[in-house]
Every structure is written in structure tokens, then in C-alpha cells.
Amino acid sequence: MELDGAQGHGDRTTTTPPTPMPHQRPRPPAFDLPAWVAAPRPEAAPGIYRQGYRQIDPDRAEEARVATWPLLLRAGLNVIATVATYYIGTVVLMYGAGFILRWFDGTSPDQFNVVQILINMVTVGCAAAVFWRTGRWREVSRRFLTRDGWRQNVAPVLAKAITHEGEGSARPAVEPEPGPVADPWTAQRFGGAAAAAETLDREPVGDVDYMRIQRAWESAQADPAFVPAFVEQVKVRGAAAFSHPSGSRDLHGRVAHHDLLVQQVRLGTTQDVPKNPQTYRATGFALDPALLGTSLLAVGPAGTGKTARLARPAIEALCLQALAGRACAVAVGASDADLGPDAWYDVVISLGEAGSVYGLDLYGATQDPDEAAARLADALLPDELTARAESARVALQQVVGPFHAAYGRYPGVRELRGLLAGDPEVKEALVKALREAGRLTTHERDLKHRDLQQGRADDPGALLADRLALLDRPSFEGAFTMDGTGKPPFAMKALDHPLRVRIKLPERSHPEAARILSRLVVGQFVLAAVAREDRSLFAGLVVDDASAALDTGTVRGLQRMRGANAGAVLLLRTLMDLPEALRTPLFGAVGCRMVFPGIAPWDGKFFSEAWGTHVIHERVVTHAPQTEGGVVRRAGRLGRKALSGTTAQTESVTTRDVERLRWSPSDLAHALPAGHAVVSLTAVSGEQVPPLLVDLRG
């Protein structure tokens, strides 16, 4: 076990003389680690932001809707009714008791007093029990008689009345109570690492630092021999101990609310509307690896907030968890997609840009040449030629396998294009290398079959060579070379490490090449995530526009990722961008589905059918003119109509249980307000959450 791993250089600080600034913004307050650790995080249903969450009784939630003054007025009226009931009930019962006691001789005054006391007790108890509930005195006591209620509802009013402060006063009327505080280093203090705990007490520690150090401590607990190494590392580097290989300890410019202790990122607030289940109303809405592990599909037109309110917070959370040593993150999108600054990532691959430091491994560092060739063939074929996928895979395998056997590496784009097109020089060099390696006999059959296919009208090699020409452009120079002469190629096998990777696609300059690369990268991620031996890190993928990134193999692989501690966030403008054969399988492959405002009704139909129906209690009220009665009642109704202009009517109420769509296609297409979304969730454990209306603003 290696506690420090690939350490960074830590944080280096330099001291500079202060410069007076007349309009300098105040510094943000320091992170309060003890209070953050001690914050309540009760168990909650999937999708609820747990930090500070308090489960509300449905009855109390209904009572809390009543405004203050109507609540107090009703309570006062019930007090009057209680007193009146007591006096009337006492008089009636005492009169009845006295009448009964007169029938018995020798009743003493003491016995009469006992009866009177019992009558008073019964009367008071019954009246109080009835009018306590009808007057909602439980809600009154909660708002004004408890400590929290007094501080929130009464103290500000009293302070305002005494100090005569205006509504716009910025000074709080009462000081907030300090929250709970806990010792964040209890485990180390009493587990043999007291010196490390004392060192950390003297340093500012952020939430990422805390989670990273706690993970290292958990690893050290596997063997007591590693505890001294843990203590030494903390004493030397303090809060920067066990830092990420990049040396980063936080993300600059993060904006979402994160709770790394339970790996949640808050996206918004579920609305208090009848369509939402009572448990979720007015609660924080959050995502975590337990939900992302089933993958999430989000559909909405451009400009509705898919990237800013979903993709960016999701990749921000994954990058923070990577810095804490608990995840690896891959973000795929156009160069101008707002998926965070480049400083958030360890590897930035800007395909089509000369300044890109890294290239891309077209084969994902797969050890099996046939598997690598099949994945590349699927990415190269356009959607309209998927029927030729099998022949394309075979054609590519017939050249990739022999090349790998001859040279011990995979061919680059230019080499592969020459082999598929039948370039004599490239082929002769390959045959010579195979003969020298003693592998010509093994692969001679594949090469002969490739020769027979060349020149035919249905030769898949010619099609693949034409598609590879899209990647063999001057702007991609050195991006796909495999012989060590170009840029260092990034391979998806690195998902075993807490890396943060950003892949920028040239959607404007090379749209078809971007489609090929998007499909290739996403397919490689799915294969690599499932093939990992060490699945302790959550592997997260965020694709800003997945319309070109999905094929049959990738959709099938999404389901396998559920058991591999991996998941994807896929954004689409419309389901119509996908081939028709992929739409239904995609809905079945993902566990979380999200709709943004402005989708087309035919898109809404997929979500509406997937979410199904539920039983509601329907109440129908009908009105009909009154016709019964004799001459007098009819004359009265005629007079009422002449004077008021209204007709006397009878009201009929019918109640029944009926099945209705949870969200109809029309509601999804036209009734969603801006800044909102409807989302359904499925956890890796199988627990499901019906569709929720969520406000994603703020």
C-alpha cells in the first residue's frame, strides 16, 4: 500500500506587500470544518439534499400553509367556544347529576363535591380535546411557544417594535444560534494518530482536504503498520497531505452547492405542487453517484439550461470528488461548451487545435486487437450505413490484427487508411514485418481475404478509408499517431486513476469528424469503465451533446455500467436526432430521465409513456336548475331571478378514482415554466422516484 501515491508539489505561497485598494471586496469567510462535519444529514429518499434536511409531517405541512393572523383568530375563537362549552356543559351535567342524587337518601355534601369535580374534569377534557384540534393549537404552539418558533416569528417582531427598525434594515433582529460543532479528527485522535490530528487542528482544512485525508486514513486502517506513515505525511505536509497528483486542492470558481461528505451536488428545489409526492415538496434536489450510476438522460432545446444547470454542476461535482480521491471524470463537448475552465482538468484534449498538448488513442489502449477494431469501425460508420457494421468490423480486424502482431502497436490514421485502401507500399512493409516476426502464417489468410475484397463495389474497406480521411487532416496532425512521433495519446484505460479529463470536439470546423470522435470516445469510456479491475473510484462521464455519440453497443453498455460503479450524463436537444431504432432502447437503458421546457410533443410522448399513470381521487361538481317544489317555491325562485339575475341551482358532487398520466405530452411541451425541469430517478439499489417538478434556478 502506498499512502502518498503520486504526490504533487503542494501549495507554494509568496508574500507580497499589501496594495491599498479603495473598493476591495471583502474576503469570503473561512471554511468552518467542525460545523460542516457536524451538520445534520439524516437519511432521506433518493434525490433529496440531505445536509440540513428535516422531514416534515404531512399534517404539519398542511397546517403551516395557514397564514399567521387567520391562525390566531381561529385559535381565539376556539378558546371562546371552549369556555362557552365548559359553562353550558357544566350547568347541564350538574343539573342532571343533582336530579339523580336526589333519588338517593343520605347523600353527603362531600359526595356531591366529588361528583362536581368529576363533571368539571370531564367537561374541560372533552371541550379542550375537541377545540384544541379545531383551533390548530398544535401549530400555534409550534410557531409561538417553542424556542425555534419564538426566535423565528416573535422575536423579530418584538425587536422591530422596540427598536423601530425599518423593513429595509440590514441588521438582523436576533443573532442566529450557533450550529452544532464536532471534532473532525476524532478517529485519528483516538486511533493512534493524535500527532496528525493536532497538526490538522492548526491548519485551515477545506472540504476536499478533509475527504482526501479521511480516505487516506481509511486506507491506513487496513494495516496498523501504515499508521506511522500516515502521521509522518500529515506532519510534513499538513492539510496538503495525500494531495491529488496535480497538486490541486479545490476548484477555482465553483458555484454549485456540494456536500462531499455524502457526495451530493444540489441542483435546485423541488416545488410544492400536487404533482410532486408529499415527501419531496420544498426540499433540496441533489444528485450523487448512487443515482448517476444508473445514468441520466436530459432532453431540452438549446438555451433551456441543460449545460449551465445540469452538465456543469455534475462535472464540477465529479472533479471535486476526483480531487478527494473518490472518482474520475470525463467531460465531452464542443470547444465552446461551458463545462468549466481548463484549470479544472488534468488532461485537456483539444482535437483540431494545434496548441493541444495531448492526442487521442483511437483504440482506447485495448489489449484485444479485434475488440479495438470493432469499436473503431462502429464509430466510423454513419448512422445510415449501420446495416454494414458487421462487414466493416471484419474488414478493419483483417488489417489491425496483423499490424499489431507485426509492429507491437496499433496503426495510426494514415497507416490504417493506407492498409484499407490497398496501398502497395504499406502492404509490402506489413508483410515484411510479419515475416520477420514469424507471424505471417497466422495472419496470411486475413491479408488474402482483404486483397479479394479490394476493388469490389461493396468493399467496406474503401468506405472506412473514406471515413478515416476525415481524421487525416492537417489540423489533426499528430493527434492520432501511435508510433511516438506525435502528441502523447490519452487512453481510457486511465479510468483506474482519479483523473479529470476534458475532450473538446471540433464541431464547427469539422462536424463529421467531431461526430466520429464523439462516438469513439463515449464507446471507449463504456468499455473501459466496465472492464476495470479496481472499481473503487466512481467513473463519471458528461456528454454535452450526445446526439452523435450513441450507437447500439454504447446503449447496451450503459446498463452494464450500473454494476461497475460508473455512470453517464447524456444531454440531447431532441430525441429525433437519434436513429429511431435507438430511442426506445435508450429509455430502457438509463435510470434517470430529465425534461427541460420547450420540448416537442413527440419528445414528451416518450417521457409520458415511460412515466406511466397513477390513480388520483377525482371530484366532479355539476350544477342543475332547481325545478322541484310547489307554487310558492317556484314563485320565490322567479322573484330571485328577477331581482338578482341568477337562477337557483342544485349542486351534485361525484367522486371516483381514475388513472391519469403523471405528466401528459402537452404538459411537458407547454406547461413547464422557464428554469424548471421534470426529472425521475432510479438508484443503483433499484429504488425509484416518480417524476418531480424541480426549480433549477439559484
Side-chain angles (χ1 to χ4, degrees):
M1 170 183 166
E2 187 177 352
L3 287 178
D4 53 355
Q7 297 177 8
H9 299 291
D11 288 350
R12 298 180 180 178
T13 58
T14 57
T15 304
T16 56
T19 303
M21 299 180 66
H23 300 289
Q24 187 175 6
R25 295 178 62 184
R27 295 181 61 185
F31 181 71
D32 190 352
L33 179 64
W36 178 75
V37 172
R41 295 174 177 86
E43 292 295 330
I48 293 179
Y49 190 66
R50 290 172 52 185
Q51 184 175 347
Y53 168 69
R54 290 187 301 175
Q55 188 171 3
I56 300 176
D57 183 18
D59 293 337
R60 285 184 55 181
E62 193 65 28
E63 292 175 350
R65 296 173 181 270
V66 182
T68 299
W69 290 114
L71 180 68
L72 293 176
L73 178 61
R74 184 181 291 110
L77 292 175
N78 277 270
V79 169
I80 297 174
T82 302
V83 174
T85 302
Y86 166 73
Y87 280 113
I88 296 174
T90 302
V91 170
V92 172
L93 291 177
M94 287 300 299
Y95 179 80
F99 180 79
I100 294 173
L101 291 175
R102 279 197 296 269
W103 289 90
F104 298 93
D105 295 334
T107 303
S108 65
D110 293 337
Q111 293 175 334
F112 186 82
N113 290 335
V114 170
V115 173
Q116 186 177 13
I117 292 173
L118 291 175
I119 290 175
N120 287 333
M121 292 175 62
V122 171
T123 307
V124 170
C126 293
V130 172
F131 293 106
W132 171 272
R133 184 172 183 83
T134 58
R136 298 188 178 182
W137 273 95
R138 182 178 62 174
E139 177 66 12
V140 173
S141 62
R142 186 190 68 82
R143 290 195 194 183
F144 304 104
L145 301 181
T146 62
R147 185 177 183 180
D148 292 340
W150 179 274
R151 187 175 68 253
Q152 296 175 5
N153 301 302
V154 181
V157 177
L158 294 178
K160 180 180 177 182
I162 295 173
T163 60
H164 303 287
E165 292 179 353
E167 291 290 339
S169 176
R171 186 174 62 183
V174 291
E175 293 294 331
E177 274 194 358
V181 176
D183 180 8
W185 312 114
T186 301
Q188 291 82 358
R189 209 178 304 277
F190 298 99
E198 294 175 1
T199 301
L200 295 170
D201 286 337
R202 296 190 295 267
E203 294 207 9
V205 181
D207 53 354
V208 178
D209 296 329
Y210 178 78
M211 297 306 301
R212 187 185 64 251
I213 294 173
Q214 288 295 92
R215 179 176 174 84
W217 174 251
E218 293 171 2
S219 301
Q221 295 300 291
D223 190 339
F226 295 118
V227 174
F230 174 88
V231 175
E232 183 64 23
Q233 177 73 208
V234 173
K235 290 176 66 176
V236 172
R237 306 193 64 205
F242 316 104
S243 60
H244 188 265
S246 66
S248 299
R249 295 167 53 190
D250 204 347
L251 295 181
H252 177 70
R254 63 173 179 171
V255 295
H257 295 280
H258 301 272
D259 187 7
L260 295 183
L261 204 60
V262 290
Q263 296 181 281
Q264 284 189 319
V265 54
R266 177 169 179 163
L267 300 183
T269 305
T270 54
Q271 296 299 279
D272 189 1
V273 294
K275 279 185 176 292
N276 285 345
Q278 184 69 50
T279 308
Y280 284 87
R281 295 180 187 176
T283 63
F285 172 73
L287 293 177
D288 55 40
L291 296 173
L292 294 179
T294 63
S295 296
L296 186 150
L297 173 67
V299 179
T304 54
K306 298 191 305 299
T307 302
R309 293 169 179 157
L310 173 60
R312 180 178 169 120
I315 196 63
E316 184 177 310
L318 291 171
C319 287
L320 286 173
Q321 293 170 26
L323 293 179
R326 296 178 179 269
C328 55
V330 178
V332 182
S335 301
D336 56 352
D338 184 16
L339 296 176
D342 290 351
W344 283 11
Y345 300 95
D346 306 308
V347 177
V348 179
I349 307 171
S350 300
L351 299 170
E353 296 182 10
S356 178
V357 177
Y358 294 94
L360 183 66
D361 189 337
L362 294 178
Y363 308 92
T366 304
Q367 299 301 319
D368 184 359
D370 287 344
E371 181 182 352
R375 181 64 257 172
L376 180 57
D378 290 341
L380 289 172
L381 285 182
D383 293 332
E384 58 270 17
L385 295 179
T386 53
R388 302 180 62 183
E390 190 58 38
S391 61
R393 295 190 195 104
V394 172
L396 206 56
Q397 288 168 349
Q398 288 171 345
V399 295
V400 171
F403 192 97
H404 187 271
Y407 297 101
R409 63 176 178 85
Y410 291 112
V413 169
R414 192 159 298 174
E415 296 167 322
L416 185 58
R417 184 184 175 191
L419 289 172
L420 291 170
D423 189 335
E425 295 182 2
V426 178
K427 180 185 175 182
E428 290 175 3
L430 175 59
V431 172
K432 181 180 179 181
L434 282 171
R435 184 178 294 110
E436 293 176 353
R439 305 291 300 276
L440 180 59
T441 305
T442 305
H443 298 280
E444 189 174 13
R445 181 178 300 177
D446 282 341
L447 295 178
K448 288 184 177 180
H449 190 273
R450 182 87 286 279
D451 291 339
L452 294 174
Q453 293 290 322
Q454 288 177 356
R456 296 176 53 175
D458 58 347
D459 179 18
L463 171 63
L464 293 173
D466 291 341
R467 300 292 293 174
L468 281 169
L470 298 170
L471 304 180
D472 190 15
R473 304 293 302 159
S475 56
F476 296 120
E477 185 68 28
F480 308 117
T481 57
M482 305 299 296
D483 56 0
T485 60
K487 301 173 182 178
F490 170 78
M492 283 294 174
K493 70 175 182 179
L495 296 181
D496 291 333
H497 306 282
L499 279 178
R500 302 165 296 162
V501 183
R502 171 72 163 99
I503 300 177
K504 298 182 178 181
L505 302 174
E507 290 190 353
R508 293 188 178 181
S509 56
H510 301 84
E512 192 60 22
R515 189 207 71 83
I516 294 174
L517 295 170
S518 174
R519 180 171 294 186
L520 180 65
V521 167
V522 174
Q524 289 181 355
F525 177 91
V526 172
L527 291 176
V530 175
R532 291 182 302 165
E533 294 183 2
D534 182 8
R535 298 178 176 178
S536 59
L537 298 179
F538 178 80
L541 171 69
V542 177
V543 186
D544 185 59
D545 183 6
S547 57
L550 300 174
D551 58 19
T552 304
T554 301
V555 171
R556 194 181 302 116
L558 290 175
Q559 293 180 321
R560 294 197 298 268
M561 288 200 302
R562 295 191 183 194
N565 196 25
V569 177
L570 308 173
L571 275 59
L572 288 174
R573 293 185 178 91
T574 173
L575 290 169
M576 299 300 108
D577 289 342
L578 296 176
E580 186 176 358
L582 284 182
R583 297 168 194 167
T584 301
L586 178 61
F587 261 77
V590 298
C592 304
R593 307 176 183 97
M594 199 167 185
V595 175
F596 284 79
I599 65 169
W602 44 86
D603 284 339
K605 182 180 179 181
F606 280 90
F607 288 92
S608 180
E609 292 178 351
W611 288 333
T613 62
H614 64 147
V615 177
I616 63 172
H617 191 66
E618 187 178 66
R619 183 173 181 268
V620 180
V621 180
T622 57
H623 297 274
Q626 290 184 357
T627 58
E628 70 280 358
V631 177
V632 176
R633 295 187 63 181
R634 293 180 181 178
R637 287 197 293 268
L638 290 175
R640 173 184 173 181
K641 183 176 181 180
L643 294 174
S644 64
T646 60
T647 303
Q649 295 181 334
T650 58
E651 183 179 277
S652 176
V653 179
T654 304
T655 60
R656 59 177 180 173
D657 291 336
V658 296
E659 282 195 6
R660 291 285 186 269
L661 290 171
R662 296 182 184 273
W663 284 87
S664 68
S666 179
D667 289 340
L668 295 174
H670 306 295
L672 289 187
H676 291 64
V678 179
V679 56
S680 65
L681 305 172
T682 302
V684 175
S685 61
E687 190 172 357
Q688 295 185 343
V689 178
L692 308 171
L693 178 62
V694 181
D695 185 355
L696 301 176
R697 298 170 297 181

